[in-house]
Amino acid sequence: MAKKIKKPVKAKAPSKSWGIVRLLKSNQFKYTLGLFLMILCGYTTVAFISYIYTGELDQSKLSLGWSLFTDTSVKVHNFAGKGGAFLSEFFINEEFGFPSFFFIVIFFVAALNLFGYKGIRFFKTLMFSFVWMLWSSVTLAFLQPSAKDVFIEFGGAYGLIISGFLTSLLGAIGAALILVFILFLLLIVTFRQFTPWLSRRFAKKVKEPVILAPVADVLVDELAAEAALLIN
């Protein structure tokens, strides 16, 4: 009886989704994304710092919307150009204010992790940066005096809304106490050395009691010393 010849089984071609996963895990993609984040980090830093000095001059142009980008006759003073001016207006005035600089820290740490540096954990940095950014935004909005001629919101729109809610709910004193309490918690959670430092600052040093010799014993010792000298 003739044996049946088994046909070779063709290996299944890898699916497109698996190919995308392999691409995302490849070093080429990680290094490319890391380089992009580094460039974005530098560009955002220049845009934010320039916005502090030139944002007031560009306010009328930022209200133009998309025509700001399409109309080449419109010029801005931001060193990062129209994109930098728009990006700064969005993050600083419409989002979290000056604490938006924490985004630069997040971009930088993410780029380091993509390059293979694991000394700073990304997700820990992301969590702490977001919490500190939110607290700083509310605090700066709470501390900023209300003035109509100021073009920049120190705490951004989110800080202004949350600060106004806390002030209306608890009053200025209550809102300030809540912010101080949250600051204390953040310092304890973020910095390991804060609690030992605080303990050393408030710990009372116990002084050892000074034992004074009785006066009579001192006189006896002095007389004995003088008698020994006379005998000699």
Side-chain angles (χ1 to χ4, degrees):
M1 184 176 179
K3 295 182 178 180
K4 294 182 179 181
I5 301 174
K6 296 182 178 180
K7 295 181 179 180
V9 180
K10 295 182 178 180
K12 294 183 178 179
S15 61
K16 293 182 179 181
S17 59
W18 177 245
I20 295 174
V21 172
R22 290 182 60 186
L23 175 64
L24 295 178
K25 290 184 177 181
S26 64
N27 289 332
Q28 291 86 347
F29 177 79
K30 291 181 180 179
Y31 293 156
T32 303
L33 182 59
L35 180 60
F36 171 77
L37 289 176
M38 277 291 186
I39 295 173
L40 180 62
C41 179
Y43 179 78
T44 308
T45 302
V46 174
F48 283 3
I49 295 176
S50 178
Y51 180 80
I52 297 173
Y53 299 99
T54 63
E56 187 174 7
L57 301 174
D58 295 335
Q59 285 299 301
S60 59
K61 300 165 187 176
L62 290 171
S63 60
L64 296 175
W66 289 109
S67 60
L68 170 68
F69 300 98
T70 57
D71 191 353
T72 57
S73 62
V74 178
K75 305 296 181 182
V76 296
H77 295 81
N78 195 297
F79 292 159
K82 296 178 181 179
F86 179 81
L87 196 68
S88 303
E89 173 70 14
F90 174 76
F91 279 105
I92 294 180
N93 261 354
E94 299 181 12
E95 298 293 327
F96 299 101
F98 287 137
S100 296
F101 278 90
F102 276 105
F103 283 111
I104 299 174
V105 178
I106 295 172
F107 295 155
F108 184 74
V109 174
L112 290 180
N113 277 250
L114 288 170
F115 287 143
Y117 179 75
K118 302 299 181 182
I120 305 176
R121 297 179 182 177
F122 171 70
F123 290 105
K124 183 178 180 180
T125 303
L126 178 65
M127 180 181 65
F128 283 141
S129 296
F130 181 77
V131 175
W132 275 103
M133 180 170 58
L134 187 60
W135 177 86
S136 302
S137 176
V138 177
T139 304
L140 288 176
F142 177 77
L143 296 176
Q144 183 181 12
S146 57
K148 296 182 180 180
D149 57 343
V150 178
F151 78 95
I152 190 170
E153 297 289 348
F154 294 169
Y158 282 110
L160 194 62
I161 294 172
I162 299 175
S163 173
F165 173 76
L166 289 176
T167 304
S168 64
L169 182 65
L170 305 173
I173 296 177
L177 292 176
I178 288 295
L179 290 174
V180 171
F181 175 71
I182 296 176
L183 172 62
F184 184 76
L185 291 180
L186 288 176
L187 290 173
I188 291 177
V189 174
T190 307
F191 305 103
R192 295 181 179 178
Q193 298 299 324
F194 177 73
T195 304
W197 174 84
L198 198 64
S199 300
R200 290 194 299 268
R201 294 289 296 179
F202 289 97
K204 295 181 179 179
K205 296 181 180 180
V206 180
K207 296 183 179 180
E208 296 182 358
V210 179
I211 302 175
L212 299 176
V215 178
D217 294 343
V218 175
L219 294 176
V220 170
D221 293 340
E222 291 180 354
L223 292 174
E226 291 179 358
L229 291 174
L230 291 175
I231 293 172
N232 294 333

